[in-house]
């Protein structure tokens, strides 16, 4: 499969120079769509004559919700205090598992460190997040609930929630 992808990429480089249908950034060798391309998904194809084209697969952008522009509802559990160091390590461990983007499809995923656990809950058909986005959620929880308080942020539209709590306490 990887060799097929490399072959397609090599053919696409050759085709881009002759067909002019795909733009190539010569500084790093990547392909890119023209800025005035319509929103939506695209598929790169290389024809029998080595012409490379992007096929517009459709535009579902009316159904998209910008995560960075939408903050979920924050819920605080102020009845006890979390160990600050354990909380920080649990949050960072959880964030690191998602890095630049990862998905989970089970009911929950979590990271425990010492006396704290950071977690994500899936009430739908899977969730995809990044570590940076999760860090922002934990910061919002700390800002609303207090630096050492347990809490979670819920996203009903996405059927998801993310939080931090004491290990051994139920979540999701």
């Amino acid at each position: 499969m990887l060799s097929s992808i490399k072959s397609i990429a090599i053919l696409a480089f050759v085709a881009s120079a002759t067909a002019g249908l795909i733009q190539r950034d010569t500084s790093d060798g990547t392909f890119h769509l023209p800025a005035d391309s319509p929103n939506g998904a695209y598929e790169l194809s290389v024809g029998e004559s080595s012409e490379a084209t992007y096929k517009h697969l459709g535009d579902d952008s009316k159904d998209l919700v910008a995560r960075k522009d939408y903050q979920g509802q924050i819920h605080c559990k102020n009845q006890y205090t979390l160990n600050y160091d354990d909380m920080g390590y649990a949050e960072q461990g959880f964030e690191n598992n998602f890095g630049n983007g990862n998905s989970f499809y089970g009911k929950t995923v979590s990271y425990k460190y010492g006396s704290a656990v950071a977690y994500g809950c899936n009430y739908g058909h899977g969730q995809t997040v990044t570590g940076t986005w999760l860090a922002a959620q934990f910061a919002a929880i700390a800002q609303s609930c207090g630096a050492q308080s347990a809490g979670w942020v819920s996203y009903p539209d996405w059927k998801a929630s993310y939080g931090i709590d004491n290990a051994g306490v139920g979540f999701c």
Side-chain angles (χ1 to χ4, degrees), residues 89-164:
Y89 289 129
E91 290 173 352
Q92 289 175 40
F94 191 68
E95 294 159 12
N96 289 342
N97 281 330
F98 287 90
N100 291 326
N102 207 344
S103 302
F104 68 100
Y105 298 93
K107 175 79 172 165
T108 184
V109 62
S110 59
Y111 190 97
K112 178 196 173 286
Y113 186 91
S115 62
V117 62
Y119 60 88
C121 307
N122 171 37
Y123 306 110
H125 300 290
Q127 305 298 324
T128 301
V129 296
T130 66
T132 304
W133 185 83
L134 287 167
Q137 303 315 297
F138 293 130
I141 292 167
Q143 184 177 18
S144 293
C145 302
Q148 288 183 262
S149 293
W152 75 96
V153 58
S154 62
Y155 289 89
D157 293 348
W158 305 334
K159 297 181 167 95
S161 62
Y162 301 90
I164 184 75

Side-chain angles (χ1 to χ4, degrees), residues 5 11 25 28 50 58 66 69 87-88 90 97-98 100 114 137 159 168:
I5 293 171
L11 286 173
D25 184 341
D28 66 3
S50 297
D69 295 333
M87 179 186 72
N97 281 330
F98 287 90
N100 291 326
Q137 303 315 297
K159 297 181 167 95

